[in-house]
Amino acid sequence: MASKREVLMIRQIYKSVMRAATPEDILQVGPGASAEDVKTEWMARSLVVHPDKSSGALTNAEANAATQKINDAKDVLLGKAPRARPATAPSAGRTLNGLKIES
């Protein structure tokens, strides 16, 4: 069982991972980080939130979600997975099945 201080640290890291919007934010690296920096931060964060290491601080579902998000961020930053495209804003006006309706 982790100490109260360790539990608080694990919860804080979990929250920062789940709130992060970009892969760089998830792993706490700069935009031009080297592959070695990415791997180092990935390993550090993975070990903290891993389901086997964080028992008592996180539920299995929380630990699995955080681990998956960290792994996905690493894959994107190392070029093994494509970046997610930002959501596009809906067009002004009414549409029907993607076709614009002119009034």
Side-chain angles (χ1 to χ4, degrees):
M1 181 73 178
S3 70
K4 187 170 184 171
R5 186 176 188 178
E6 291 170 334
V7 168
L8 291 174
M9 182 201 60
I10 292 168
R11 294 292 304 169
Q12 182 179 8
I13 291 172
Y14 167 76
K15 287 178 185 177
S16 73
V17 166
M18 297 312 286
R19 289 180 185 157
T22 65
E24 290 87 356
D25 291 341
I26 293 169
L27 294 180
Q28 299 282 311
V29 296
S34 69
E36 192 63 35
D37 290 340
V38 169
K39 289 177 185 177
T40 300
E41 289 301 319
W42 164 74
M43 182 60 72
R45 289 189 173 268
S46 296
L47 288 175
V48 170
V49 299
H50 191 275
D52 294 339
K53 303 284 184 180
S54 64
S55 62
L58 301 174
T59 65
N60 276 341
E62 289 173 332
N64 287 331
T67 300
Q68 184 62 47
K69 196 165 180 179
I70 290 168
N71 289 339
D72 291 345
K74 175 197 60 126
D75 290 343
V76 167
L77 292 175
L78 294 179
K80 295 179 181 178
R83 278 191 185 263
R85 291 181 173 251
T88 57
S91 61
R94 301 179 325 180
T95 60
L96 175 66
N97 296 333
L99 302 172
K100 188 167 184 168
I101 300 172
E102 299 291 330
S103 308

